[in-house]
Amino acid sequence: MRRKNDNPDDPYHQELLEAVRDIAKASDNIYGSRRMKKALNALSYLISGNKSRKLMKEAGVQVKYRKKYKVTTDSNHKKPLFENVLDRQFDMNGPDQGYVSDITYLWTHVVIDLYSRKVVGWSIGSRMKAQLVCDALTMAIWQRLPAAGLIVHSDRGSQYASKSYRRLLKAHGFMGSMSCKGNCWDNAVAESFFGSLKSE
């Protein structure tokens, strides 16, 4: 359990503020004080909702109230799913051991190497079809030549459960991995990338 201290000059208080900023960035600033409190509690910072509001204000975090946009993750399907092999193990010992991927509402798909945090494959299309994710992964394969055993993580979207995508993974000996249902933190690196992209 983390200790409580309301002194603004205390190192622990500064640690709290930094945690608030990190969570806000990872969520693309859509977390209000309630969800911020839950996220901090999950990290063992046991604070109240009122404290969460004060910290967000002090950290300069402003909540974005998003306009409606096209949903990019169609997880309401009956296609086969991969287990969450990655399980939030975002730190790799070397390049091309683990990739994460995601699609934005602008129909841009990226593949990111977890070791370097660099985009190693990408594709843009007018529709969110399986070809979009296959093209980005194929680019990563051409550029990086990853060995068999590579973990490729994504959300539970139908594109990642398609036959063509699964065949591509199998052909190269890669392990598919998918986030748990409704949990953006399982794909936090890719989510954070698009959050930064939208704010620029």
Side-chain angles (χ1 to χ4, degrees):
M1 181 184 296
R2 306 271 183 157
R3 62 188 177 84
K4 294 175 64 177
N5 195 319
D6 293 327
N7 182 357
D9 297 323
D10 185 77
Y12 173 69
H13 185 78
Q14 295 302 317
E15 182 182 332
L16 267 175
L17 291 175
E18 190 63 29
V20 167
R21 294 187 185 102
D22 288 344
I23 293 168
K25 183 178 180 180
S27 68
D28 195 21
N29 283 55
I30 65 170
Y31 275 19
S33 59
R34 287 185 180 181
R35 286 203 281 180
M36 180 64 72
K37 171 185 175 293
K38 289 182 179 179
L40 287 168
N41 288 170
L43 295 172
S44 298
Y45 296 107
L46 304 183
I47 65 167
S48 65
N50 186 50
K51 179 69 173 178
S52 175
R53 284 190 292 274
K54 290 181 178 179
L55 286 168
M56 290 176 69
K57 184 177 180 179
E58 186 177 349
V61 172
Q62 294 184 338
V63 181
K64 292 181 182 178
Y65 296 96
R66 292 184 170 180
K67 298 178 181 179
K68 291 183 178 179
Y69 62 88
K70 187 174 180 65
V71 175
T72 59
T73 303
D74 175 20
S75 58
N76 187 24
H77 56 79
K78 296 183 179 180
K79 297 177 182 178
L81 301 173
F82 294 111
E83 295 293 328
N84 187 0
V85 178
L86 186 63
D87 196 24
R88 303 192 192 183
Q89 301 300 311
F90 299 130
D91 294 323
M92 295 290 164
N93 296 322
D96 306 308
Q97 296 179 0
Y99 291 169
V100 292
S101 55
D102 198 12
I103 304 174
T104 180
Y105 64 95
L106 297 173
W107 297 317
T108 301
H109 180 261
V110 299
V111 178
I112 301 170
D113 176 38
L114 283 172
Y115 180 75
S116 65
R117 295 296 201 269
K118 292 182 178 179
V119 174
V120 293
W122 58 272
S123 61
I124 299 175
S126 59
R127 293 185 179 182
M128 292 181 292
K129 298 293 186 180
Q131 191 63 44
L132 189 69
V133 298
C134 289
D135 286 349
L137 182 56
T138 299
M139 177 187 286
I141 294 169
W142 286 345
Q143 292 194 117
R144 304 295 304 173
L145 301 176
L150 167 72
I151 299 172
V152 186
H153 187 81
S154 67
D155 59 30
R156 299 160 70 94
S158 59
Q159 300 92 342
Y160 301 109
S162 65
K163 289 182 179 179
S164 56
Y165 183 73
R166 297 174 74 89
R167 279 198 299 265
L168 182 59
L169 292 178
K170 185 177 181 180
H172 293 274
F174 300 159
M175 290 187 289
S177 174
M178 286 181 171
S179 302
C180 296
K181 189 172 184 179
N183 198 329
C184 67
W185 291 102
D186 287 346
N187 203 18
V189 174
E191 296 279 353
S192 178
F193 170 82
F194 276 125
S196 300
L197 189 65
K198 292 172 192 174
S199 65
E200 293 180 355

